[in-house]
Amino acid sequence: MSGDGYKMLFSTGKIGSLELKNRIVMPPMVTNYATEDGAVTEQYKDYLRERANGGVGLIIVEATYIHPWGKGFVNNLGVDRDELVPGLRELTEVAHGAEVKIAIQLYHAGRQTSSKTSGYHPIAPSPIPTPGEEEIPREATIEEIQGVVEAFGEGARRAKEAGFDAVEVHGTHGYIINEFLSPYSNKREDEYGKDFEGRLRLALEVLQRIKEKAGNEFPVIYRINGDECVEGGITLEVTKRIAKRLEEAGADAFHVTAGVGESSYNSVQPMAMPRGCKAHLAQGVKQVVNVPIISAGRISHPEVAEEILEQNKADFVAMGRALLCDQEMPNKALEGEIDDIRVCIACNQKCINKLLGAEQEPIGCALNVRTGREAEFPMTKVDKKKKVLIVGAGPAGLEAARVAALRGHRVDLFEKEERIGGQINLISSVPGREEFKEVISYYQSQIPKLGINLVLNHPVSAEEIEGMSPDVVIFATGATPLLPDLPGIDSLRVVSAWDVIRGECALGERVVVLGGGSVGACTVDSLRKLGKKVTIVEMLEDIALDMEPLTRKLFMKELTSDGKVKIWTGTRISEISEEGVVVERGWEKILLRDIDNVVLALGATSNKDLIDKLAGKLRNYHIVGDAKKPRKVTEAVEEGFEAAYRI
Ligand SMILES: Cc1cc2nc3c(=O)[nH]c(=O)nc-3n(C[C@H](O)[C@H](O)[C@H](O)COP(=O)(O)O)c2cc1C
Ligand code: SF4
């Protein structure tokens, strides 16, 4: 399908007085690229420039704190002081230089921050912490609430001075305005709580103050929570009432999302949730207001975007992670180069996971190594073309091949199996992980276009490699399941999780899975869905701990929903016997009986045979991905990229 096929997506649109060249919106995403005191950096400008050049219609810059108490991330962007305006102006100039409109999201984190991050004790409508957080927020006084209103107004004034074309009010995801709006977090009995009107007051006052400070003509988008997805929280019906009132108060558009802190997999949806899964919320709001609606949530492909617009569920589509994964996506869609789009698979591994992790790192993308590192890796051609030989066409080898070829090298890529993808073929056959197929499709389309010489079904030997005299060899030979030295491991009843996932073995009804990492946990989930009686044994205090947290939250909720899976944590495996599996918990030895099969998911070991044979003989070689150490796709792609880039 060419750009002609995406007629709606590439039609012009309007938000208030703001004219947009197409319907693609880059939604706000905190990057952690700012300085510790909230200023714009070169890294921020580089990141934004590439997105602007990629053809998006409107960029909404990240949740930017309007008051120091409302800072939610260590390297969050700020708009709380006049001295930040010149830096912000540089950001707007970058977008305008590419003829792209730019807005900024104004926010105050409320209870969803900590004194460690902001340096101040968090405030909230009521002294109730976000479930899972330890710090109890302080109930905001009336003066403090009025201070928040004023700070939003001042933030909008500064944004306008910095050249932004619009502001977006962050009224969702459990931050302060959302907290006041919701009976779930607002238990006040004064004029800012008690009933619908009271809870709405802060949002209305913020909107009014922004209009007063930035002028009635200055477009204001309101990001609204279509469904908090928590018991006792805001649902779509309440949102509709809120939206009508905010429209009357001057909101020029609504940007509809979902979820709050504890239901945040509804805000940044993992791959197990379908594409466009929150569009019904946008549609619901659209039915009751007359201003434009932006829909957000897993709109990862232009096809889905066009469908949402065609079905009149929304007027604009937010494509956030899609633009982290491929900043050129809009241009490619417009040109009809659909196969060239690297589709975001909603793995969350290197974007939201980095941000929400204990370290609060800058965001990136598991599949796009250049995200946030644009200046470090300009995609220029090398001066001296080299002969690069890559062994293994899993994610590390594929990325290495792509980058080496893009940089102008001659690339031979050998794969022992009949198809490319390595372990991605395995992962993508797990229910709920099908999106991984997109990774393979992408490389499949790039290999011929980049002139990579792919040789399948060919376990290349050490002698062959030496005979070809490559300038550089990249070993991306992957890993194989680990077989621990355990009594009874040779029993016919014992199979590997990989074989189970591949569908290569028939299992009985009662199965024990040994190893509760994500491979074991996903195997259990697949077996559970087949109606098997499953027990999982894990040495650590919980299972699936290596899974990205939002993905895990949703996964665990579903896995434990019917209470049928038996989970043994803090448990060691000591023996597989005729009677069953002997495990140890503390000093206690327990026999798990009545088992038809034992499935091993105890990790993997790097395939190093070829490397060991050649290591002393090669002039220049690299080991990447699981061949170096078994880990995730993120590390595989990153190492493949970097090794190839530095040739
Ligand atoms: C790294 C990251 C940071 C985010 N930061 C914000 C933010 O600052 N403000 C906000 O309203 N939503 C934020 N979100 C949510 C996104 O704006 C978007 O609604 C969500 O990712 C779903 O859309 P997508 O599937 O197109 O990515 C963030 C999401 C990610 C992945
Ligand atoms: S890390 Fe995963 S979810 Fe995040 S943008 Fe990249 S592909 Fe998408």
Side-chain angles (χ1 to χ4, degrees):
M1 191 185 265
S2 75
D4 290 349
Y6 301 122
K7 279 205 171 66
M8 301 286 287
L9 197 56
F10 292 103
S11 60
T12 56
K14 261 183 116 178
I15 290 178
S17 56
L18 185 62
E19 291 184 13
L20 301 175
K21 65 179 174 190
N22 62 43
R23 305 299 178 110
I24 304 174
V25 175
M26 178 163 155
M29 286 177 285
V30 170
T31 54
N32 257 339
Y33 298 159
T35 64
E36 272 187 26
D37 50 7
V40 168
T41 56
E42 287 303 314
Q43 180 188 21
Y44 215 129
K45 285 187 271 175
D46 294 336
Y47 156 82
L48 204 96
R49 184 175 299 109
E50 292 220 355
R51 268 83 208 160
N53 287 334
V56 62
L58 171 68
I59 292 175
I60 307 177
V61 170
E62 73 178 58
T64 305
Y65 60 92
I66 43 99
H67 189 278
W69 296 7
K71 176 181 175 179
F73 301 89
V74 277
N75 289 89
N76 207 175
L77 197 64
V79 64
D80 62 324
R81 307 180 312 279
D82 285 345
E83 72 202 53
L84 295 172
V85 171
L88 291 167
R89 189 172 299 120
E90 288 178 30
L91 219 49
T92 61
E93 282 166 3
V94 165
H96 292 153
E99 296 185 356
V100 169
K101 296 292 189 325
I102 183 165
I104 187 167
Q105 189 182 51
L106 306 177
Y107 98 123
H108 185 302
R111 69 177 183 173
Q112 287 188 173
T113 184
S114 65
S115 42
K116 194 170 156 223
T117 298
S118 71
Y120 303 92
H121 196 97
I123 56 163
S126 305
I128 310 166
T130 299
E133 295 296 328
E134 280 170 17
E135 200 165 18
I136 298 172
R138 199 163 48 71
E139 180 174 299
T141 63
I142 298 288
E143 292 71 38
E144 284 166 348
I145 296 171
Q146 283 160 2
V148 169
V149 173
E150 185 59 20
F152 267 99
E154 281 290 276
R157 172 188 64 77
R158 291 186 194 104
K160 192 177 178 191
E161 274 173 34
F164 284 98
D165 301 295
V167 289
E168 177 172 277
V169 176
H170 200 337
T172 180
H173 300 166
Y175 292 114
I176 205 161
I177 296 179
N178 188 171
E179 283 162 19
F180 270 84
L181 277 166
S182 175
Y184 176 68
S185 40
N186 184 349
K187 309 287 180 195
R188 297 177 79 97
E189 284 297 320
D190 63 7
E191 66 264 41
Y192 286 97
K194 198 152 74 181
D195 53 17
F196 178 78
E197 287 303 319
R199 291 191 291 269
L200 185 63
R201 188 177 307 276
L202 175 65
L204 288 175
E205 288 182 0
V206 163
L207 216 49
Q208 191 185 347
R209 198 75 187 113
I210 288 175
K211 293 271 166 188
E212 284 163 8
K213 290 268 180 174
N216 262 333
E217 291 309 304
F218 191 60
V220 181
I221 304 164
Y222 185 95
R223 204 165 208 215
I224 196 165
N225 202 328
D227 186 349
E228 288 189 298
C229 305
V230 287
E231 224 179 299
I234 294 171
T235 57
L236 180 58
E237 288 317 303
V238 180
T239 300
K240 288 180 180 175
R241 285 176 69 196
I242 296 170
K244 280 201 260 186
R245 294 293 300 280
L246 294 174
E247 183 187 25
E248 282 164 25
D252 294 291
F254 289 100
H255 190 172
V256 188
T257 74
V260 291
E262 56 277 35
S263 59
S264 50
Y265 52 82
N266 290 287
S267 311
V268 187
Q269 306 81 7
M271 69 172 77
M273 294 171 87
R275 292 178 179 182
C277 53
K278 299 295 174 189
H280 64 288
L281 300 174
Q283 185 180 26
V285 178
K286 190 165 164 54
Q287 281 159 1
V288 298
V289 297
N290 295 308
V291 293
I293 300 295
I294 309 168
S295 174
R298 284 276 278 126
I299 307 176
S300 55
H301 194 283
E303 204 78 46
V304 189
E306 181 73 11
E307 203 177 296
I308 289 170
L309 297 172
E310 255 175 15
Q311 293 173 352
N312 203 25
K313 290 181 176 167
D315 305 285
F316 293 89
V317 281
M319 301 181 80
R321 288 169 293 173
L323 285 160
L324 298 181
C325 195
D326 192 340
Q327 62 276 17
E328 285 286 331
M329 179 270 296
N331 284 344
K332 289 177 184 172
L334 184 62
E335 296 301 323
E337 296 160 356
I338 303 306
D339 291 348
D340 291 341
I341 296 174
R342 184 173 33 217
V343 178
C344 162
I345 56 170
C347 68
N348 280 347
Q349 281 179 18
K350 215 169 160 188
C351 51
I352 198 73
N353 186 28
K354 291 284 169 191
L355 198 63
L356 301 182
E359 305 295 321
Q360 285 202 23
E361 292 171 69
I363 65 164
C365 170
L367 305 180
N368 182 0
V369 176
R370 293 187 65 252
T371 298
R373 300 173 73 183
E374 288 80 8
E376 195 181 339
F377 299 120
M379 291 312 283
T380 47
K381 292 272 184 208
V382 289
D383 296 333
K384 195 160 173 253
K385 180 173 177 167
K386 290 193 177 161
K387 201 171 151 191
V388 181
L389 192 152
I390 300 171
V391 192
L398 287 166
E399 180 66 357
R402 184 187 76 87
V403 174
L406 258 180
R407 298 264 286 153
H409 298 296
R410 180 197 143 166
V411 181
D412 294 301
L413 174 60
F414 289 89
E415 168 55 48
K416 66 177 175 7
E417 303 291 337
E418 61 184 5
R419 55 183 174 161
I420 64 163
Q423 275 191 62
I424 300 184
N425 290 304
L426 196 70
I427 311 169
S428 63
S429 56
V430 172
R433 300 288 183 275
E434 295 86 354
E435 280 284 355
F436 272 104
K437 291 196 174 87
E438 288 288 353
V439 181
I440 301 177
S441 308
Y442 172 67
Y443 288 112
Q444 219 134 29
S445 73
Q446 299 306 295
I447 288 170
K449 284 186 185 169
L450 293 169
I452 295 165
N453 175 36
L454 171 67
V455 187
L456 292 172
N457 283 316
H458 193 113
V460 67
S461 68
E463 294 70 32
E464 275 178 285
I465 293 177
E466 278 190 286
M468 285 183 268
S469 313
D471 297 311
V472 182
V473 179
I474 297 180
F475 292 103
T477 43
T480 13
L482 192 69
L483 277 184
D485 189 12
L486 204 66
I489 197 96
D490 298 329
S491 158
L492 288 178
R493 292 191 300 160
V494 179
V495 295
S496 89
W498 293 22
D499 288 340
V500 174
I501 294 170
R502 278 193 203 107
E504 285 176 0
C505 42
L507 299 181
E509 286 311 298
R510 298 156 306 175
V511 183
V512 172
V513 175
L514 303 183
S518 52
V519 173
C522 285
T523 310
V524 166
D525 192 41
S526 309
L527 295 173
R528 172 186 77 93
K529 285 175 179 154
L530 291 173
K532 311 263 182 214
K533 286 188 184 148
V534 203
T535 303
I536 181 165
V537 181
E538 167 57 41
M539 209 166 68
L540 299 177
E541 72 278 12
D542 213 337
I543 63 166
L545 289 175
D546 58 340
M547 217 179 251
E548 180 277 316
L550 298 193
T551 307
R552 181 176 186 272
K553 228 185 220 183
L554 177 64
F555 174 83
M556 290 303 288
K557 189 173 163 217
E558 286 175 5
L559 185 79
T560 54
S561 57
D562 56 9
K564 286 191 178 157
V565 172
K566 290 196 182 123
I567 302 174
W568 289 71
T569 52
T571 307
R572 282 178 182 277
I573 309 137
S574 65
E575 187 187 342
I576 300 165
S577 71
E578 279 306 306
E579 287 83 14
V581 176
V582 182
V583 295
E584 292 172 36
R585 228 185 207 178
W587 297 108
E588 200 184 358
K589 270 201 172 189
I590 305 152
L591 174 66
L592 306 178
R593 293 173 186 281
D594 302 327
I595 295 164
D596 297 316
N597 289 100
V598 176
V599 177
L600 299 180
L602 296 166
T605 177
S606 301
N607 295 330
K608 285 201 186 287
D609 288 355
L610 190 63
I611 305 168
D612 291 343
K613 276 188 198 155
L614 283 166
K617 300 179 183 169
L618 297 172
R619 272 173 296 150
N620 192 349
Y621 72 93
H622 305 271
I623 307 168
V624 294
D626 280 7
K628 190 170 172 187
K629 186 181 169 200
R631 285 151 302 157
K632 302 234 176 265
V633 172
T634 314
E635 288 84 10
V637 170
E638 184 168 350
E639 286 170 11
F641 180 101
E642 290 199 19
Y645 190 90
R646 299 195 198 286
I647 294 171

